């Protein structure tokens, strides 16, 4: 969920910059691993932080066409939260089951995302 501020330059055709904080919620955290041709899967939701805080930055162009605006924008989001937590989990492949562990520092990971949007806004 981003909360973005937008700074525009121009009247009809505009260049704009966007930036602001983001908050993310973990909906699922699944692992799939191929070990010697056997596919193991595990649910890591209990070993993943439920909240992620980050920053979103981007920019774009807006063109006045007819009674609305055509826009093209790009955004990049990067999280500050280490989503990995210490703990053990079971990975399964059919009847096979293995115990594994995550170390918060060794398994450190954060969110990263890029988005490109094209759209048209019009007055109601």
């Amino acid at each position: 969920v981003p909360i973005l501020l937008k700074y525009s330059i121009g009247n009809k055709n505009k260049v704009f910059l966007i930036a602001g904080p983001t908050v993310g919620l973990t909906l699922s955290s699944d692992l799939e691993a191929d070990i010697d041709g056997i596919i193991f899967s595990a649910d890591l939701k209990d070993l993943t932080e439920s909240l992620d805080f980050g920053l979103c930055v981007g920019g774009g162009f807006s063109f006045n066409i007819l009674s609305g605006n055509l826009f093209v924008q790009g955004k990049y989001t990067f999280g500050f939260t280490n989503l990995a937590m210490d703990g053990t989990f079971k990975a399964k492949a059919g009847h096979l089951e293995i115990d594994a562990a995550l170390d918060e520092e060794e398994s450190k990971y954060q969110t990263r995302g890029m988005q490109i949007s094209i759209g048209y806004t019009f007055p109601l």
Side-chain angles (χ1 to χ4, degrees):
V1 178
I3 301 170
L4 302 175
L5 296 174
K6 182 177 178 180
Y7 178 74
S8 299
I9 302 168
N11 291 328
K12 286 187 172 187
N13 299 325
K14 298 178 183 179
V15 175
F16 59 89
L17 300 173
I18 50 179
T22 64
V23 177
L25 300 171
T26 299
L27 299 178
S28 68
S29 183
D30 299 321
L31 170 72
E32 190 172 283
D34 183 339
I35 302 173
D36 294 329
I38 302 171
I39 307 296
F40 286 87
S41 60
D43 181 3
L44 299 181
K45 191 162 186 178
D46 292 338
L47 299 178
T48 305
E49 291 289 344
S50 58
L51 280 176
D52 180 26
F53 297 96
L55 180 67
C56 181
V57 295
F61 305 98
S62 176
F63 307 98
N64 190 336
I65 297 177
L66 301 174
S67 63
N69 290 302
L70 176 68
F71 69 89
V72 177
Q73 72 179 16
K75 295 187 286 189
Y76 183 74
T77 303
F78 48 98
F80 300 134
T81 307
N82 176 11
L83 298 174
M85 297 169 56
D86 290 327
T88 60
F89 64 95
K90 293 189 181 302
K92 298 178 182 180
H95 297 306
L96 295 176
E97 189 174 285
I98 60 172
D99 292 324
L102 281 180
D103 178 89
E104 185 175 327
E105 286 304 311
E106 285 183 20
S107 303
K108 187 175 184 175
Y109 63 94
Q110 295 149 320
T111 57
R112 300 286 185 263
M114 188 175 359
Q115 180 181 16
I116 298 173
S117 304
I118 298 172
Y120 185 77
T121 61
F122 52 90
L124 294 176

